[in-house]
Amino acid sequence: MVWYDTQTEEYMVIRRLKELFANQQPRTQQQGASAVERVQLATCVLLLAVAHSDDRFGQTEEDRIVEILKEDFNLSDEYSAELLELAHQERKSSVDLFRYTNTINSAYKPQEKERVVETLWKVVYADDRLHSLEDNLIHRLSRMLNLSHHQLIQAKKKVMGWD
C-alpha cells in the first residue's frame, strides 16, 4: 500500500487513527479503508507492550520496531515515527491489550496473525535476550490472537532461524 508523502497528509492520517481508537463505534461502522490503519496501530501497540514488558525499553528495541513497521507495512520514515508516537500514547493510556488483539483478530487471517507473532519475537530478541516477562506476555498475546502453542513456537523458530 502506498502512503502519503506530505507531512500534512500524514498528520491527517495520524489524527484519523487517534479518532478511530478514541471513538468506540461498533466495528461495522469502522470498517473500510481505515481497517489497515487500525491494524497498523494495534500491531505497533503490541510491539511496544512486548518491548516494555521487561522494563528495559531501549533504542535497539525502538529501532527494531520502526524497522518492522517500515518493512511489514511499507511505511515512510515520517509515518512510522508518527505511528510509533501514537502507539506510545495508546499503550500508556490503555488498561489492557484486548482491544488491540481484537482489532487484529477482526482483520487478519491466521497466517497474518502468525506474522504478527513473528514480529513480536523479533522485538523480544532485539536485545539478544529473552526475559521471562517478555516470554509470558508473548504467550498471552498469542492466545489472545487465537493462535495455538504450536503456531507460537513455529513463529519463534522462524525468527531464530531454527526452521
Side-chain angles (χ1 to χ4, degrees):
M1 172 170 270
V2 178
W3 287 97
Y4 303 102
D5 292 328
T6 67
Q7 288 182 341
T8 303
E9 290 173 331
E10 286 178 358
Y11 172 76
M12 290 171 46
V13 171
I14 295 298
R15 188 180 60 190
R16 187 167 152 209
L17 282 169
K18 286 181 182 179
E19 291 168 358
L20 282 171
F21 272 96
N23 187 0
Q24 296 300 316
Q25 294 179 354
R27 207 174 0 147
T28 56
Q29 294 179 16
Q30 293 181 4
Q31 295 195 1
S34 63
V36 170
E37 297 160 345
R38 287 193 328 271
V39 168
Q40 290 172 348
L41 180 59
T43 302
C44 192
V45 170
L46 296 184
L47 293 170
L48 286 172
V50 168
H52 281 274
S53 64
D54 66 354
D55 294 325
R56 290 187 195 146
F57 183 74
Q59 192 61 46
T60 302
E61 290 171 313
E62 184 165 314
D63 290 346
R64 188 67 175 127
I65 291 170
V66 170
E67 180 182 311
I68 288 167
L69 294 173
K70 289 168 46 177
E71 287 176 6
D72 288 6
F73 295 123
N74 195 27
L75 304 179
S76 68
D77 290 337
E78 297 82 20
Y79 187 86
S80 297
E82 291 289 330
L83 182 60
L84 185 64
E85 182 180 327
L86 177 58
H88 274 296
Q89 294 169 12
E90 282 285 324
R91 188 193 67 79
K92 288 178 185 175
S93 65
S94 294
V95 294
D96 66 33
L97 298 172
F98 174 77
R99 142 170 103 160
Y100 306 107
T101 57
N102 191 44
T103 296
I104 293 169
N105 281 329
S106 297
Y108 274 2
K109 297 176 184 171
Q111 299 85 354
E112 294 166 313
K113 293 189 285 186
E114 288 174 26
R115 180 73 180 122
V116 171
V117 172
E118 287 174 20
T119 63
L120 296 173
W121 281 120
K122 287 177 183 179
V123 171
V124 165
Y125 284 108
D127 59 3
D128 294 322
R129 62 184 140 201
L130 174 63
H131 191 280
S132 62
L133 294 172
E134 293 170 324
D135 190 52
N136 179 282
L137 180 57
I138 200 167
H139 277 80
R140 285 188 297 130
L141 290 172
S142 179
R143 285 190 302 273
M144 292 170 71
L145 291 169
N146 302 316
L147 296 174
S148 69
H149 183 72
H150 175 75
Q151 290 169 304
L152 171 71
I153 298 305
Q154 286 302 113
K156 180 179 182 178
K157 287 170 70 174
K158 185 174 182 179
V159 168
M160 298 301 290
W162 300 339
D163 202 20

